[in-house]
Amino acid sequence: MEPPVRLASTGTIIHGVSVGEVLGVSTLAGARLLAGKSGLGRIVQRLNVMEVPDILAWVKPHELLLTTGYPLRNTPQSLGRLVADLDERGLAALAIKLGRYVDELPEEMTEQADRLGFPLILLPNDVGFDDILNQVLTDILNRQAAALVRAEEAHRALVQVVLAGGGLDEVTAEVAVLLDVSVAAVDGGGRILAVAGPPEQVALLRESIAREGPPPPPAGATGSAVRLPPTDTSADPGAGGGAMTSVPVVAGGHHHGRIVAYSAAGAIQDSDVGILERAATVAALAVTRQEAVNAVESKYRADFLRDVLTGRAGTAERVTARARAFGWDLERPVTVLVAELDPDGDERTAQDRLVTCWTAAMRRHDQRGAVAGFSHEVVAVLDAAVDADRVAKDAASAFADVPPATFSTGTSRPCQGAQTLPEAYSQALKAARVGRQLHGRGAVAHFDQLGVYRLLSLVNDTDELHAFVRETLGPLAADADAENADLRRTLQVLLETNLNVAETARRLHFHYNTLRYRIGKLERLLGNFTDDPHLRLNLTLALHVLRMRGI
């Protein structure tokens, strides 16, 4: 039975030397590569000596395994499987002394090493293992120390950038200089926030990011690098096979995007990845700092816009001056839009997303438009010349990935001047709420297209409206009785068809005589509405008010 494999951790050694570099040390000057030439780039991080036949239980990834062949002297048949087993466990290479215990390696073993790219090295008989161990481990530790010093210096430089008030532009510029690569900071949606490096490499990096698209967030909030496929050399004739590496930017358990580096030289070393990971940490600091600043600015914007919409912002001159400070133009003809979350959604997460979607939509369509989020709605003040429906559709399309939350949108009449905005806001809010009542969740309504509902919405005394309904409809005003609700539905269809009995019976799937009986019952409850046009008008308005209940 094969012994269990012990997958030990890699310890603190995170850098190493390639197998090709190991062959260049002085103690291995007489060593010869027997097979596996394509694997000379494998990284050696530690060394081990094969002293027992069941070595597989003790090996670790990235090891250079040294052996005299003594443990294999009595089982030469196992040599054929040894390369595949060691390769499966992630070893870097096998170095062996021949002649004393094993005369030669079987052809099957060398063929397998060539096929797997697993280096087999013939060691000189006059070199001791202790010399190899000392020299190679010294090189590895020196490489590790140099990499750590370089990373620490890079970290200090990057932190200094942030402490000096720099943002993603300065961070990417510093990394581009440190690594001599082109670097981009990309948000979670694949949008490039900052980029630095040689212009020709930056162009290739932009193309590569556009082809890759937004990656899925990494599993867990870790900062490990993600190796991307090499850049297509057909798109980069002079690069000779450039390479890209992506490192996620994670802060507070949230994925904020990634740092992407492109090297035209065709390789990005592990030590460079370490610096990129530190850059991602510093970028996370810059992102969270900017988010905090944005949150404060958003609160000031929202407070100011709320004051404007409620008429408490002061004189027109003061409003205009503060609006300009926020980059808003409130003097031109504008339209007010209100996007209000529909009930029964998760407002805690949906509201933030609603603000983000509307802000992005406004940025695309009207750079000088005002937008701010309130408790459960977003208000936008849009250039009257811009298609408000298109802006609302763009925001709704981006918001569609937040099920089951929805929002209804109301649009005001065009207006001009800050003093007219409170009235326009009231119109947009009524349009959103009436539209939801009439058309359900996710409605889009314009104040001017509400018809009679617009007039009813202008009645501020809702108690008076409800009293009118009770006086006009009598017992039919209550929803508790199913029979009364059914009679109310019959009345509504009769009024919609202008008292056409045959058409009403068809719509309600009633027999003609059944409908005549119901009409008689309605007239006993409500009066002779079939002969009284004024009563019919009152009944129609009362039914409209019922449909607007809650406005």
Side-chain angles (χ1 to χ4, degrees), residues 254-266:
H254 298 288
H255 182 257
H256 294 279
R258 51 187 173 139
I259 297 292
V260 184
Y262 170 80
S263 171

Side-chain angles (χ1 to χ4, degrees), residues 42-353:
R42 292 187 180 217
I43 299 300
V44 177
Q45 292 181 343
R46 57 182 59 81
L47 287 86
N48 198 357
V49 177
M50 185 177 183
E51 298 176 331
V52 293
D54 58 343
I55 188 64
L56 296 178
W58 310 104
V59 296
K60 301 174 185 177
H62 302 295
E63 277 187 345
L64 170 60
L65 186 61
L66 309 175
T67 183
T68 61
Y70 178 79
L72 305 171
R73 68 192 188 285
N74 297 323
T75 57
Q77 67 277 7
S78 64
L79 290 173
R81 299 191 307 270
L82 184 60
V83 167
D85 290 338
L86 295 178
D87 178 71
E88 183 180 349
R89 284 154 178 81
L91 263 72
L94 173 66
I96 188 170
K97 289 185 177 183
L98 295 178
R100 187 171 182 181
Y101 301 108
V102 176
D103 292 332
E104 61 181 7
L105 300 179
E107 184 177 350
E108 176 189 358
M109 187 176 182
T110 57
E111 289 177 354
Q112 194 171 57
D114 282 328
R115 186 172 67 254
L116 297 174
F118 184 85
L120 291 179
I121 301 169
L122 176 62
L123 295 174
N125 286 322
D126 59 347
V127 176
F129 284 175
D130 57 340
D131 293 330
I132 299 174
L133 290 168
N134 286 334
Q135 189 167 7
V136 175
L137 282 176
T138 297
D139 286 352
I140 292 174
L141 292 174
N142 287 340
R143 184 76 58 89
Q144 172 87 353
L148 291 175
V149 169
R150 181 172 178 245
E152 187 62 30
E153 291 175 349
H155 183 72
R156 282 198 296 269
L158 292 168
V159 169
Q160 188 59 40
V161 166
V162 175
L163 293 177
L168 292 177
D169 287 327
E170 289 75 16
V171 170
T172 53
E174 185 71 22
V175 175
V177 172
L178 288 170
L179 302 183
D180 191 24
V181 296
S182 59
V183 183
V186 184
D187 67 11
R191 186 167 61 96
I192 295 178
L193 303 177
V195 66
E200 64 280 1
Q201 292 190 35
V202 166
L204 293 171
L205 178 59
R206 288 183 179 274
E207 293 175 7
S208 299
I209 292 172
R211 285 196 302 269
E212 290 290 335
T222 62
S224 58
V226 178
R227 292 285 187 176
L228 300 179
T231 302
D232 185 357
T233 55
S234 62
D236 180 16
M244 282 178 60
T245 295
S246 176
V247 178
V249 177
V250 180
H254 298 288
H255 182 257
H256 294 279
R258 51 187 173 139
I259 297 292
V260 184
Y262 170 80
S263 171
I268 296 179
Q269 304 299 325
D270 286 342
S271 58
D272 296 339
V273 172
I275 292 176
L276 286 174
E277 289 173 342
R278 294 183 180 237
T281 301
V282 174
L285 292 175
V287 168
T288 52
R289 183 189 64 185
Q290 188 60 46
E291 285 182 345
V293 172
N294 291 341
V296 173
E297 291 182 349
S298 295
K299 183 180 184 304
Y300 280 122
R301 287 190 180 96
D303 289 345
F304 171 63
L305 187 57
R306 184 183 289 106
D307 289 342
V308 172
L309 298 176
T310 54
R312 299 196 303 264
T315 63
E317 292 77 12
R318 182 173 181 272
V319 169
T320 299
R322 288 197 63 187
R324 285 175 179 169
F326 288 128
W328 300 343
D329 183 358
L330 303 183
E331 294 182 292
R332 58 186 174 162
V334 294
T335 302
V336 176
L337 290 86
V338 170
E340 188 177 53
L341 285 172
D342 294 322
D344 304 325
D346 185 359
E347 292 191 9
R348 292 173 299 177
T349 56
Q351 176 63 17
D352 291 341
R353 181 63 177 160

Side-chain angles (χ1 to χ4, degrees), residues 356-407:
T356 300
C357 294
W358 272 92
T359 301
M362 287 289 290
R363 188 184 299 118
R364 288 192 294 270
H365 294 278
D366 185 6
Q367 294 282 348
R368 296 182 299 160
V371 60
F374 298 161
S375 58
H376 61 286
E377 67 187 40
V378 173
V379 179
V381 182
L382 179 71
D383 186 348
V386 175
D387 186 350
D389 284 346
R390 185 177 178 185
V391 178
K393 287 179 181 178
D394 279 4
S397 176
F399 192 74
D401 62 349
V402 192
T406 57
F407 65 88

